Amino acid sequence: MRKSCILMHISSLPSEYGIGKMGRHAFEFVNFLRKSETKCWQILPLSPTSYGDSPYQSFSVHAGNPYFIDFDILEADGLLEHHEFASYKWENDAEKVDYSIIYTNCYEVLRIAFSRFKASKCAEYKAFCTENKAWLDDYALFMALKDKNEGKAWYEWDEELAMHKAKAVSSAKKELKNEIAFYKFVQYEFSHQWAELKKYANDNGVEIIGDIPIYCALDSVEAWTMPKLFRFDKKHMPTAVAGCPPDDFSPKGQLWGNPLYDWEYHKKTGFEWWIDRIYAASKLYDIVRIDHFRGFESYYAIPYGNEDATVGEWEKGPNYELFRLAEEKLGRLNIIAEDLGFITPEVREMLDKCGYPGMKVLQFGFSDGKNEHLPHNFTTANCFAYTGTHDNETLNGWVSVMDKNSLKFAKKYLNVKKKSEIPMAVVRQAWASVAMVAAAQIQDFLDSPKSDRMNTPSTLGNNWQFRTQAEDFTPELAKKIKKLNRMYNR
């Protein structure tokens, strides 16, 4: 079945509280998708954000982002009074998320709600804590310790705690009992609200596409509590970190800084941690996009401490074996492979064995007629065709920086005369393609300028801030997208 998709993270939803939440506006966006006959809503990782506010650098691979918890729902549940959250200042700019404001105020409000929560009388809460014990206990302690240590990374704590020594950990659990309970409450509320939103989406014929970042952050509960998963030295610090080698777009490469996995250890465990992670994501989302999928075939290792990615080498990953074992245990997986970047014949072979749909990004295509990202070169319907991803320009922004030759080629290919006609023509090409799913950022339907770009890779600041307004989602826009979907049988 041919489908269409709109890519917009929860953070970009309309909100009176500085950042998108899982309340009224999220449900109204599902209504908008239903009216426009759009079958998929793609979001970014739901994880808590850390350094740089990126959802791809998180304190935990399992926890949900507290910023997305809706205050109005907490009010309806008797945990907040309206003035307790409405009186705060939540934004400096209605079109941008200000994470410093959110960070300061959000937790203050959630602590008020926690003070009224009766954990002992809530059977759902007890069940949640039991079901998620494998990650929740460690995460709640980790966050409580971060608060106690003024937000410092775990490797800057006292040595006994940093090295996760049993005696120090046991003592911290007793000392921080109330703080640990707070962070469990936050995760319970997140899980409860997300389950309601996802159910509403599914009941209205909308599937949620979610994201697994391939790597964990160095400052994460996983790196602190499970050092064996990573290529760490005796002091639990990385020997090498992740990134990408230099190319035409990044002369010094991309230094992500995430710790690399000790794949030999994972193999000995039957990839248990990874299979558990995939299983958890399959419960959270309807379709799972795995970021940097090529990294499972081979990955770029940069010596820890280097200032850029100019020095590094490719090393072999687990390849198809991980996914073979995952499907053996979990059944056929509904996965999208983010197969962008430096793709070798070995990576293609792994993708073929897995059989997962890959990605085509039309913005990458307008160089010449042989480019694989142009729709006439799609060799299979088993792919997702994107006008652009969260790492790309808005279509308007992309057109504004096109070089002369690419612009000339695009006009000819798209059969348009004006530069201003290119964005919508690109959307039509994606929708007309053989791809099983055609996807576009919401910015590309809102005619958003360059300044509304979600993320510019390898940069800090001004990322992940894009927001929509309630008035953006008009009946006229829903009708326009519906016509597009019907025109191209999506």
Side-chain angles (χ1 to χ4, degrees):
M1 181 181 176
R2 289 165 61 81
K3 298 176 183 176
S4 65
C5 171
I6 290 179
L7 168 56
M8 182 179 71
H9 196 31
I10 302 290
S11 62
S12 298
L13 283 163
S15 173
E16 297 81 30
Y17 308 112
I19 193 169
K21 293 183 174 291
M22 299 181 290
R24 175 172 61 91
H25 290 292
F27 286 77
E28 287 176 356
F29 182 64
V30 171
N31 293 340
F32 174 85
L33 293 172
R34 186 191 71 241
K35 288 171 187 173
S36 66
E37 298 183 1
T38 301
K39 300 296 183 186
C40 300
W41 175 11
Q42 183 168 344
I43 59 174
L44 305 182
L46 286 171
S47 319
T49 54
S50 59
Y51 180 66
D53 308 311
S54 169
Y56 294 88
Q57 292 282 352
S58 179
F59 296 133
S60 165
V61 300
H62 290 292
N65 193 333
Y67 298 163
F68 300 158
I69 295 172
D70 187 74
F71 299 144
D72 292 312
I73 293 175
L74 294 181
E75 180 187 9
D77 290 342
L79 297 177
L80 288 175
E81 294 180 14
H82 193 74
H83 71 89
E84 290 173 331
F85 55 92
S87 59
Y88 279 91
K89 177 185 177 181
W90 292 105
E91 61 192 25
N92 284 318
D93 181 345
E95 296 182 356
K96 299 286 181 186
V97 177
D98 188 322
Y99 286 95
S100 61
I101 293 176
I102 305 297
Y103 174 77
T104 302
N105 295 344
C106 183
Y107 286 101
E108 286 188 16
V109 172
L110 290 175
R111 286 180 191 282
I112 296 170
F114 173 62
S115 71
R116 297 195 179 107
F117 181 67
K118 307 296 183 188
S120 61
K121 295 182 180 179
C122 183
E124 263 188 37
Y125 170 78
K126 291 176 184 176
F128 170 79
C129 290
T130 301
E131 288 166 17
N132 295 279
K133 187 176 177 60
W135 66 267
L136 183 62
D137 289 3
D138 284 336
Y139 170 74
L141 173 60
F142 179 79
M143 294 306 296
L145 281 165
K146 281 190 80 69
D147 286 350
K148 183 187 175 185
N149 287 276
E150 299 175 332
K152 289 178 183 175
W154 62 264
Y155 43 85
E156 295 177 349
W157 301 346
D158 291 342
E159 188 176 356
E160 293 290 296
L161 268 176
M163 296 297 285
H164 203 256
K165 298 291 185 182
K167 191 175 180 181
V169 169
S170 178
S171 176
K173 283 179 180 177
K174 291 173 186 172
E175 179 194 349
L176 301 172
K177 187 177 178 181
N178 196 57
E179 279 296 289
I180 290 167
F182 166 69
Y183 280 104
K184 287 185 178 182
F185 159 76
V186 168
Q187 288 307 306
Y188 164 70
E189 289 295 343
F190 176 91
S191 177
H192 176 70
Q193 291 192 12
W194 174 251
E196 290 295 310
L197 176 57
K198 183 177 180 293
K199 182 180 186 302
Y200 187 77
N202 292 166
D203 289 348
N204 281 275
V206 175
E207 293 177 296
I208 304 286
I209 302 174
D211 217 320
I212 291 185
I214 184 172
Y215 293 119
C216 298
L218 176 56
D219 187 19
S220 67
V221 63
E222 289 79 20
W224 178 53
T225 60
M226 295 180 278
K228 286 184 179 179
L229 299 179
F230 308 97
R231 288 171 52 174
F232 282 170
D233 61 21
K234 290 180 180 179
K235 292 186 177 180
H236 296 182
M237 293 306 289
T239 56
V241 294
C244 279
D247 57 24
D248 291 341
F249 299 102
S250 303
K252 293 189 176 182
Q254 295 181 30
L255 178 63
W256 302 336
N258 305 75
L260 296 169
Y261 296 109
D262 182 343
W263 285 119
E264 285 303 312
Y265 172 81
H266 284 269
K267 191 174 182 180
K268 287 175 187 173
T269 67
F271 301 104
E272 181 183 15
W273 181 83
W274 257 104
I275 291 171
D276 287 347
R277 188 181 179 194
I278 291 169
Y279 176 73
S282 73
K283 295 298 179 187
L284 203 60
Y285 312 118
D286 299 300
I287 302 168
V288 178
R289 190 195 86 122
I290 300 184
D291 186 54
H292 195 59
F293 196 81
R294 69 100 54 243
F296 293 99
E297 189 281 321
S298 55
Y299 55 91
Y300 192 64
I302 304 160
Y304 181 61
N306 283 20
E307 292 184 0
D308 57 43
T310 51
V311 176
E313 55 185 38
W314 288 98
E315 300 184 15
K316 288 295 179 183
N319 211 302
Y320 172 63
E321 183 69 4
L322 164 56
F323 299 98
R324 183 187 70 77
L325 287 172
E327 297 214 336
E328 207 173 86
K329 288 193 173 184
L330 305 177
R332 182 62 184 166
L333 301 169
N334 207 357
I335 283 173
I336 307 168
E338 192 264 285
D339 56 342
L340 306 174
F342 180 55
I343 305 301
T344 62
E346 291 82 3
V347 176
R348 293 195 188 281
E349 184 182 346
M350 176 182 69
L351 287 164
D352 288 343
K353 282 184 178 178
C354 290
Y356 305 142
M359 292 172 59
K360 305 294 182 186
V361 180
L362 270 67
Q363 281 191 34
F364 295 156
F366 292 90
S367 54
D368 59 58
K370 296 178 183 177
N371 193 297
E372 67 175 282
H373 293 280
L374 289 178
H376 70 272
N377 287 324
F378 294 1
T379 56
T380 174
N382 191 36
C383 65
F384 281 53
Y386 290 80
T387 56
T389 73
H390 64 274
D391 284 334
N392 289 101
E393 296 271 12
T394 65
L395 283 176
N396 271 337
W398 170 67
V399 170
S400 72
V401 296
M402 259 185 164
D403 64 73
K404 189 177 179 181
N405 290 336
S406 297
L407 187 61
K408 186 178 179 182
F409 178 81
K411 285 180 178 178
K412 281 187 177 180
Y413 186 87
L414 300 167
N415 194 27
V416 299
K417 292 182 179 179
K418 296 177 183 177
K419 199 174 177 178
S420 60
E421 295 174 311
I422 291 176
M424 202 57 215
V426 171
V427 173
R428 285 196 298 273
Q429 282 287 325
W431 260 243
S433 75
V434 298
M436 62 192 294
V437 176
Q441 296 187 88
I442 190 62
Q443 293 96 312
D444 295 342
F445 285 115
L446 296 177
D447 209 24
S448 298
K450 181 181 177 67
S451 58
D452 283 345
R453 181 173 183 165
M454 189 61 164
N455 180 52
T456 304
S458 296
T459 66
L460 282 174
N462 302 316
N463 293 323
W464 319 109
Q465 296 178 0
F466 169 70
R467 296 174 65 191
T468 58
Q469 306 301 311
E471 54 267 27
D472 290 333
F473 301 100
T474 62
E476 291 76 21
L477 181 59
K479 190 174 181 181
K480 176 183 175 180
I481 297 171
K482 178 179 173 181
K483 280 184 177 180
L484 194 69
N485 286 328
R486 290 195 171 184
M487 170 84 72
Y488 296 110
N489 188 30
R490 294 195 181 277

